[in-house]
Amino acid sequence: MKTFERYFLATNRWMLIVMLAVMSVIIFANVVLRYTTSQSIEWAEEVARHMMIWLTFIGCGPVLRYGGHIAVENLQDSLPRPVAIAMRAVIAVLLTGLFVFCIWFGLEYMDRTQYQQTPATQISFAYIYAALPIGMAMTLIHWLLIVRDYVVDRQFPSDAHFDATASASL
């Protein structure tokens, strides 16, 4: 399982790196062309926007994994350990339900928009909206890999790439 987790996380990170790099190059090239030739790339803004949507949903899992999402923890800290564990278990069930609902709703939304096309690139909106079910499925996998440590000890993994405690203190 640790091997799967390592490869899954590495794949997720590289997806984010590549998407952000491509989006940055497209935007930079469009800005340079606009100011040097007074012409812009017709599809640049649309593609960059769609890549930002994908970045958001694909990046949700790693941020959740390291405890980077905003949370109010004062109540958990003030409760006795068994009650706090029970509270985190309820939170875990609710989050799992949310992720499953988002996957289901995202697939429904993709089905409803499959015949609509984007204005500049003329691709189906279903490809853009696929970010929701795919991103939430990846987030669910991240969540299932860390949920036990979260519920029992309220611990999130940390590594050289990200430390939620240090980030929260900025």
Side-chain angles (χ1 to χ4, degrees):
M1 190 57 101
K2 288 293 181 189
T3 303
F4 168 76
E5 187 173 2
R6 190 175 72 246
Y7 282 119
F8 180 67
L9 186 57
T11 301
N12 199 167
R13 283 181 177 159
W14 277 105
M15 288 170 70
L16 292 167
I17 290 167
V18 168
M19 279 193 282
L20 185 61
V22 169
M23 187 179 79
S24 300
V25 168
I26 290 170
I27 291 171
F28 180 76
N30 195 37
V31 169
V32 169
L33 283 172
R34 188 179 312 130
Y35 286 105
T36 59
T37 66
S38 297
Q39 300 289 322
S40 64
I41 305 168
E42 289 180 14
W43 49 265
E45 187 269 333
E46 180 179 291
V47 170
R49 183 177 349 112
H50 297 156
M51 290 185 83
M52 180 61 76
I53 292 167
W54 271 90
L55 277 166
T56 300
F57 285 106
I58 298 296
C60 181
V63 174
L64 175 72
R65 160 181 215 87
Y66 293 114
H69 288 290
I70 190 166
V72 178
E73 299 173 336
N74 295 346
L75 180 59
Q76 293 180 54
D77 293 340
S78 64
L79 295 173
R81 180 174 163 74
V83 178
I85 289 173
M87 179 184 213
R88 287 192 295 273
V90 169
I91 292 169
V93 169
L94 290 173
L95 281 176
T96 304
L98 174 69
F99 300 147
V100 170
F101 173 77
C102 287
I103 293 166
W104 173 80
F105 184 75
L107 292 170
E108 286 284 321
Y109 206 67
M110 281 178 59
D111 186 50
R112 292 179 186 188
T113 61
Q114 66 182 327
Y115 300 112
Q116 297 176 8
Q117 294 182 335
T118 60
T121 56
Q122 296 296 304
I123 61 171
S124 172
F125 269 108
Y127 293 120
I128 287 90
Y129 294 133
L132 177 59
I134 291 171
M136 286 297 110
M138 292 175 75
T139 302
L140 179 61
I141 293 169
H142 281 291
W143 178 241
L144 294 175
L145 290 169
I146 67 157
V147 70
R148 184 182 177 283
D149 289 336
Y150 168 74
V151 170
V152 174
D153 297 320
R154 200 179 86 193
Q155 288 186 343
F156 293 98
S158 63
D159 59 23
H161 299 287
F162 190 82
D163 181 9
T165 308
S167 296
S169 65
L170 294 176

